[in-house]
Amino acid sequence: MARGKYHRFRNGERCDDCGARQWYAQDAIRYCRNGHRLEGFAEHEADEDAFGTQGKVSRKKKEPKKKIAVKLSGDEGRELYLEILQLVLMKQVRWLVREKGFPEDFEEIIRALWALRVRNLPLKESGETLRSRRRGGGEGSDGYASSDPLFSSQSEGMQSEPSDFDLSDATTATTATWAPDAGRRWKLPKPVNTLALCYLGCLVRRLPATTADFCGWAQRGEIDFLAALNGIPRKARDRLPAEYHRALQIRDHIPPGRLQAAVQELVISYKVNFDIVFPPLNYIPIVARFITDLTLPIEIYLIVKYIAEILKVDYTYHTGGKKIRTMDNPEVLLISLVVVSAKLLYPLDGIDRPPRSHEDPRSLKVDWAKWQQAMHDNTTETSSLRRGEEYKVTTEDVLTMDKTKLDDFMDWFEKMWIRDDDLNTSERIREAFEGQKRPSSPSRQYEQLNEDREHECIRDKYEALNSSLKITDPVPDPKDEDGRAGKQPRDLCPVWRTQEDLPDAARALYSKAADLTAIPLNTLVRGVVQVERRLEVWCTQRAKQQREEGKGKAVWTGDNSE
């Protein structure tokens, strides 16, 4: 058989003897271009009967190589973490302005607070700015710039969230400066600091928002916090170091008191680092909301105002002194004043304390048993799962849930914990529920009915409260031989120092008030005890002054009027 035409070897193949890259076939044997015989090849004549029996030839597709992002480390990883936190903070601010109607300059306030927070961190500069500073000699030997970082960035901090936070009495010495120490350890902000900064912006603008409001928005998934990591670009998420990635994986809820503690730390740190003092709470609408949400008579507001004047409180965050007491937190102080006022006007221990006259505010008596029933009915009559409390669902609850509540829980789970960029996981989870669509979006339905339903619930609860109020006949004080009325048992108020000492009615009121302000129950108990102790000291001093005046030892004030 004559020599055939030349063919090229496959990629990377060649003759083992001479290295030739071309071959030809002769007599069913393959040779290289230079005549060397190639092993492992034999050519056969094709049979006419086998014509057209060869199947379709398919080639195996090569799997595309996945690009693995390089994890940043050191200062670059820290800077990426700060950029991600900055992106989360920007999303939170824009949501507050767009959805909650916050003023337009709110973003400028948060921008300034964030710039001060990261001002002392040794952030690197890059590109032309860094090279120009090097030429101009305006940079330190370690390559870090001293200028303030900008607010514009792309892409939510640092340590994992503790499970329990109690606003117990603490010392201010534990708050250090934000500048890195000698070991170049950066004192980085935490994810909860983004919500705390937004709250401080509310203080600056005198907006009547509370830390409990921010916790509620975060728990319901309205403001970007719990699932903030899902909204970070994948490229930035893949390059983030593992320790910062874990820090951004926030738990399914904010522990009670966590945000309060973060706000207190920031207030002290701004005072220590930049001598910044924040204005007091806009307490009037806040205390009115507390009283309304607790379904208490409006007379509570007057007593709160009187006690505040007696104690000379200004509802500002405490930044000086060696110790910070529980009642130094203005929101804890405000809810403590509401609880103390309720205890003074409407006893919670079941002991009758009749008024002295018809003008005495204690002439009205609240039936706390009916109050508890009204509050309980309000929390149990809903057919859907209460938004913000989905994390409380246990495996036993899932087995006994009806279809509506189970749908609510699955909607919350999909919204909070399933990433849109992880298509494989999303499809596998949704596959079992295909063809089972809800009639309307639960979030939109909630937004439409929430306001009307809330007003209706408040009206129903106050109707139940008013129907339980009773007027008590006054009982004058008995007088002794000198014609003086001594201290009566009705002037004494019980003090419960631990939550185990609380009777049923008091525990219900304390628990509702603690949930309303997103603080632990024992923190509220401690704050109430401290307010009662200050009132006791004031009463003792006033009684001593009155005794001295009765003995003629009063100090002359310069008033010569008869």
Side-chain angles (χ1 to χ4, degrees), residues 50-57:
F51 178 77
T53 60
Q54 186 177 5
K56 184 180 179 181
V57 178

Side-chain angles (χ1 to χ4, degrees), residues 42 161 173 194 396 404 489 522:
E161 306 289 344
T194 58
E396 291 79 8
T404 303
N522 54 357

Side-chain angles (χ1 to χ4, degrees), residues 337-376:
L337 291 177
V338 172
V339 173
V340 171
S341 301
K343 288 177 62 177
L344 292 175
L345 289 184
Y346 315 107
L348 294 163
D349 54 358
I351 299 177
D352 292 333
R353 294 178 174 86
R356 289 184 171 86
S357 63
H358 290 288
E359 290 76 16
D360 195 329
R362 291 179 294 184
S363 58
L364 288 177
K365 182 179 180 181
V366 174
D367 190 342
W368 288 106
K370 293 184 178 180
W371 178 87
Q372 294 182 62
Q373 183 64 33
M375 302 299 288
H376 179 72

Side-chain angles (χ1 to χ4, degrees), residues 172 175 264-273 318-319 324:
T172 58
T175 303
Q264 184 72 63
E265 292 172 1
L266 281 182
V267 169
I268 297 175
S269 297
Y270 275 111
K271 174 64 176 177
V272 171
N273 291 276
H318 185 77
T319 57
I324 297 179

Side-chain angles (χ1 to χ4, degrees), residues 263-306:
V263 170
Q264 184 72 63
E265 292 172 1
L266 281 182
V267 169
I268 297 175
S269 297
Y270 275 111
K271 174 64 176 177
V272 171
N273 291 276
F274 306 107
D275 199 22
I276 294 178
V277 179
F278 290 89
L281 288 181
N282 187 6
Y283 74 93
I284 294 179
I286 296 177
V287 70
R289 182 146 53 100
F290 284 168
I291 295 174
T292 303
D293 292 342
L294 291 174
T295 319
L296 296 174
I298 195 60
E299 289 80 7
I300 296 291
Y301 175 78
L302 297 177
I303 305 302
V304 169
K305 188 176 180 180
Y306 293 151

